[in-house]
Amino acid sequence: MLRTVAKSSLRHGPLQRLSSSSSMYVPAHEPAVESDFKRLEKFLEDKPHILVLTGAGISTESGIPDYRSEGVGLYARSNHKPIQHGDFVKFESVRKRYWARNYVGWPRFSAIAPNITHYTLARLEREQRISGIVTQNVDKLHTKAGSRSVVELHGSGYTVGCIGTSGKGCDYHIPRHDFQQILDQLNPYMEDKSTMMRPDGDVELSQEYVENFNIPPCPQCGGHLKPEIVFFGDNVPMPRIERVVRMIMQSDGVLVLGSSLTVFSGYRIVLQAKELGLPVAVVNIGTTRADAKVDLKISARCGELMQNLFKK
């Protein structure tokens, strides 16, 4: 059981309480203390061009699970492994399984709202305390919260595009909400009987449901349709990497929120920042891949620290 936070340990106001549906994916953690707020504000206050890197740990407080958190992450709750890009391209059965699960999970996933961390980052951007956000998440919650300078490192689940039949498709794209209506027409008898949401919004379904699911081909070339998400085994597009590198070079430092940095595309940002001599701070429940390299590490729930940041 988590300890409650005494009011004296909070700097500006009462602790934001998580609902039961939001807290179920937040791993066990110690409460933040006064010194945590002070250290984070000190890191940010003299650096107007901080680049923020966010991971799944900030969206768990909105009710989206992550993969790796101890006890509550997807790997801890099931034997599920993420879909591989090569398998999606090669096998119809894999595409059908993905789209059936994503279709059923989409109404819940797309309705999830930002939390205090997303809203605080949008405010800090308006106050010119941060220069931009690079997120490993595909949930669009930063955009929903009002952030403008956002690079979605691993893409977004909100757009569907053609990948042809070999991984390279035509220029066809469609908003995910519009694609849902097409899937509705092709699968009028699908019901939401899922039991578990996954980090990318898909859910658990029986094999019977999957086998009967219908997927349309690309209306322009007949190719396969895929969400614009960088699946495991695929590469982040080079123009996106180059943009992130420019953002790092133009920053005064990097703040990592809610990421274990296990995936190299995120860890690389920390390495590049340190190569440039930039300070790096990390707020994350539990250890990260970069703990030995960073200038500041705070093990705490992001929402707890962010809710009163720079509020007088």
Side-chain angles (χ1 to χ4, degrees):
M1 181 178 294
L2 301 182
R3 298 207 313 262
T4 58
V5 183
K7 289 184 178 180
S8 60
S9 70
L10 299 177
R11 186 168 183 196
H12 302 300
L15 173 65
Q16 175 214 26
R17 301 296 180 184
L18 292 176
S19 67
S20 58
S21 61
S22 298
S23 63
M24 66 182 296
Y25 298 126
V26 178
H29 59 282
E30 294 295 318
V33 295
E34 176 78 14
S35 60
D36 293 333
F37 290 94
K38 290 181 176 179
R39 289 190 297 159
L40 183 57
E41 283 196 348
K42 181 175 177 57
F43 178 84
L44 292 170
E45 62 186 357
D46 296 325
K47 305 177 186 68
H49 299 291
I50 287 289
L51 178 64
V52 179
L53 170 65
T54 64
I58 72 166
S59 292
T60 55
E61 296 183 40
S62 285
I64 300 176
D66 64 6
Y67 282 107
R68 298 176 178 84
S69 286
E70 183 177 353
V72 294
L74 182 64
Y75 295 161
R77 294 179 295 120
S78 75
N79 59 3
H80 170 79
K81 295 295 183 289
I83 191 168
Q84 298 293 313
H85 177 77
D87 292 341
F88 187 93
V89 174
K90 293 178 183 178
F91 303 114
E92 180 183 6
S93 60
V94 173
R95 293 191 296 275
K96 182 173 287 194
R97 184 171 70 246
Y98 175 83
W99 276 121
R101 292 173 171 177
N102 186 271
Y103 166 76
V104 172
W106 177 252
R108 280 185 286 165
F109 182 76
S110 61
I112 288 174
N115 61 58
I116 191 64
T117 298
H118 300 100
Y119 287 119
T120 299
L121 289 173
R123 172 173 63 83
L124 295 181
E125 182 185 31
R126 292 193 300 271
E127 295 173 354
Q128 298 184 342
R129 294 184 184 274
I130 65 173
S131 58
I133 298 168
V134 178
T135 184
Q136 298 171 281
N137 303 333
V138 300
D139 51 34
K140 280 286 184 194
L141 294 185
H142 285 299
T143 301
K144 288 183 178 181
S147 292
R148 295 177 178 270
S149 179
V150 181
V151 175
E152 294 164 325
L153 194 62
H154 298 152
S156 164
Y158 279 69
T159 304
V160 176
C162 174
I163 59 169
T165 56
S166 61
K168 291 185 178 181
C170 65
D171 60 357
Y172 177 77
H173 291 84
I174 182 172
R176 180 64 184 81
H177 282 298
D178 294 345
F179 190 59
Q180 185 77 357
Q181 295 179 12
I182 295 174
L183 295 177
D184 281 338
Q185 296 172 359
L186 293 175
N187 302 277
Y189 304 110
M190 287 289 290
E191 299 178 45
D192 186 351
K193 294 186 177 180
S194 57
T195 58
M196 182 188 298
M197 180 179 287
R198 293 171 173 165
D200 293 340
D202 52 340
V203 296
E204 294 282 0
L205 287 178
S206 70
Q207 187 59 30
E208 177 185 0
Y209 272 69
V210 170
E211 290 175 351
N212 293 323
F213 194 73
N214 296 304
I215 313 168
C218 171
Q220 291 185 178
C221 72
H224 308 317
L225 297 175
K226 173 182 169 293
E228 290 196 331
I229 295 173
V230 179
F231 284 169
F232 283 78
D234 195 8
N235 298 314
V236 177
M238 186 53 65
R240 200 175 299 164
I241 293 176
E242 293 171 347
R243 181 182 175 189
V244 171
V245 170
R246 290 194 298 270
M247 294 173 75
I248 298 170
M249 294 179 67
Q250 295 167 1
S251 72
D252 297 324
V254 172
L255 170 62
V256 180
L257 296 175
S259 176
S260 65
L261 299 170
T262 302
V263 178
F264 185 73
S265 57
Y267 181 55
R268 175 170 49 195
I269 292 175
V270 172
L271 296 180
Q272 290 169 337
K274 297 310 296 180
E275 287 174 1
L276 293 169
L278 299 175
V280 177
V282 174
V283 178
N284 186 67
I285 297 174
T287 60
T288 81
R289 188 176 182 179
D291 283 358
K293 299 180 181 295
V294 302
D295 302 89
L296 172 63
K297 167 64 191 301
I298 300 173
S299 184
R301 179 167 65 83
C302 291
E304 184 181 348
L305 277 182
M306 299 295 287
Q307 65 174 336
N308 288 311
L309 204 60
F310 293 112
K311 283 188 176 181
K312 305 302 181 183

